[in-house]
Amino acid sequence: LLIMHKFENSWMFQREKIDNISKNKFIIIKINSYLKTLDQIRIIDLGTGTGSNFRYLSKKIKFKNQTWTLMDISKSSLNEAKKNIIANSKIKKINLKKIDIIKNIQQHKFNDYDLVTGSAFLDIMPFNWFKKFYLKNKNTKLVYFSINYDGYFKFYPQHKLDRDILELFNDDQKSKKNNKTNAVGPDCSEIIKSYFLETHKCYLFNSNWSNVKNKNFQLMFLDFCESIILKNKKTNLFDWLEFRKHNVINNKSKLSVNNKDFLAIKI
């Protein structure tokens, strides 16, 4: 769901805490089990945004001598990430790179890294990106993508138009994004798994946002829903929107969103 608010940093900060409690803990155990054999750990975080995935993983990885590369298309996001870097004794070095990971995937060398990671952006990638990414990473030791939207969300209490808005939302997830190519949307986890199965042991685990009551978070999610309703001229869904906003504002609402975490370990 990274497309929300056009990569606005405010959305990224708002969701960081919710992402962190939702990420699958079993995958972290697997990553640490693999990395304990390495003296130095080289990690690249793709689409780093404000650096939330880096802040989460650099703490969760138990071992020292971590060298990180934070990569993003947005200079302002990288500046935010730089401002929010919290150094600890495990981190040896941090590099920041401004690169468009969609357009320039062919030019980038991934064989310098033990772990290639990213969070909450696979769903906005075009289909042809996945094969290019796999071919560049077929020898990468670990590939880990967290919080990949899985095609289902629900608010409580229920509304008769819930199914309509979900269908519209998922259609929009597969629409043309910034690079003018259709995104894969909720199919992203299955697509990346289908490629890496050839050379890696693959895992998919739930990383759902469960029963989120945070007002600002829900309202920002509804802002995105509203932009989709307006774009598609679905005026019949405004009743749903008003009902949802009323319940959020009056502390009578909660939101759940299904996500998946993906891990590939080189065989």
Side-chain angles (χ1 to χ4, degrees):
L1 300 179
L2 193 63
I3 193 68
M4 285 184 183
H5 287 257
K6 297 178 183 175
F7 301 87
E8 264 185 30
N9 296 335
S10 57
W11 165 250
M12 299 307 292
F13 281 123
Q14 190 67 239
R15 59 176 285 176
E16 182 169 347
K17 188 177 179 183
I18 293 162
D19 279 353
N20 287 353
I21 60 173
S22 304
K23 288 177 182 179
N24 191 278
K25 306 300 183 285
F26 186 64
I27 280 186
I28 301 303
I29 293 168
K30 291 251 174 220
I31 289 172
N32 274 319
S33 177
Y34 190 97
L35 293 178
K36 70 183 178 186
T37 61
L38 304 179
D39 294 329
Q40 309 233 7
I41 302 164
R42 302 159 304 167
I43 306 163
I44 185 166
D45 184 35
L46 307 177
T48 200
T50 55
S52 62
N53 193 42
F54 157 74
R55 286 189 289 277
Y56 174 82
L57 259 186
S58 60
K59 289 177 196 163
K60 293 291 181 184
I61 292 171
K62 295 177 180 178
F63 312 105
K64 293 191 176 183
N65 292 333
Q66 298 177 32
T67 299
W68 281 80
T69 298
L70 309 184
M71 182 184 288
D72 202 277
I73 189 174
S74 164
K75 191 175 180 181
S76 69
S77 288
L78 285 171
N79 286 339
E80 283 295 325
K82 191 175 182 180
K83 278 195 284 184
N84 289 283
I85 285 171
I86 299 163
N88 65 54
S89 59
K90 295 185 289 186
I91 299 169
K92 199 166 93 175
K93 190 178 179 185
I94 299 167
N95 307 302
L96 283 82
K97 282 190 179 179
K98 183 183 178 297
I99 292 179
D100 184 337
I101 198 58
I102 300 179
K103 282 184 184 173
N104 299 325
I105 183 78
Q106 300 284 37
Q107 283 79 48
H108 192 71
K109 288 186 173 68
F110 288 97
N111 52 359
D112 293 337
Y113 307 103
D114 305 303
L115 168 59
V116 174
T117 185
S119 187
F121 78 86
L122 279 190
D123 54 322
I124 66 163
M125 293 291 111
F127 185 79
N128 63 3
W129 181 87
F130 287 82
K131 184 174 184 180
K132 292 173 187 171
F133 177 78
Y134 168 68
L135 291 173
K136 285 280 183 178
N137 284 281
K138 60 199 314 191
N139 294 311
T140 300
K141 296 182 182 81
L142 297 172
V143 177
Y144 167 50
F145 288 105
S146 61
I147 314 292
N148 305 306
Y149 175 59
D150 200 26
Y152 186 72
F153 69 84
K154 61 183 175 183
F155 280 92
Y156 295 99
Q158 291 181 318
H159 188 278
K160 63 182 180 181
L161 293 172
D162 284 345
R163 176 57 56 184
D164 296 44
I165 194 75
L166 180 63
E167 285 179 12
L168 186 69
F169 188 97
N170 286 343
D171 285 346
D172 188 80
Q173 287 298 104
K174 292 185 175 186
S175 66
K176 287 182 170 59
K177 304 303 180 194
N178 294 342
N179 68 325
K180 309 293 187 282
T181 311
N182 280 24
V184 296
D187 300 329
C188 59
S189 297
E190 291 297 337
I191 292 169
I192 197 160
K193 181 184 173 186
S194 70
Y195 280 110
F196 277 90
L197 273 173
E198 204 175 315
T199 48
H200 291 66
K201 173 76 174 167
C202 294
Y203 301 88
L204 276 181
F205 291 107
N206 291 337
S207 53
N208 301 337
W209 298 337
S210 299
N211 298 323
V212 178
K213 294 179 180 176
N214 181 296
K215 270 191 192 183
N216 287 337
F217 186 83
Q218 290 188 79
L219 288 172
M220 289 180 96
F221 192 94
L222 287 173
D223 281 350
F224 185 57
C225 291
E226 183 172 10
S227 72
I228 294 171
I229 291 168
L230 289 168
K231 184 167 76 174
N232 290 277
K233 301 181 173 60
K234 297 284 187 181
T235 52
N236 62 312
L237 296 176
F238 283 129
D239 287 348
W240 178 89
L241 198 63
E242 291 310 309
F243 174 81
R244 289 281 162 238
K245 286 183 178 178
H246 175 81
N247 279 288
V248 172
I249 289 162
N250 289 286
N251 297 310
K252 293 178 179 176
S253 176
K254 53 188 177 179
L255 167 65
S256 294
V257 178
N258 284 11
N259 304 302
K260 286 274 195 294
D261 283 1
F262 168 78
L263 176 66
I265 302 175
K266 178 70 178 166
I267 298 168

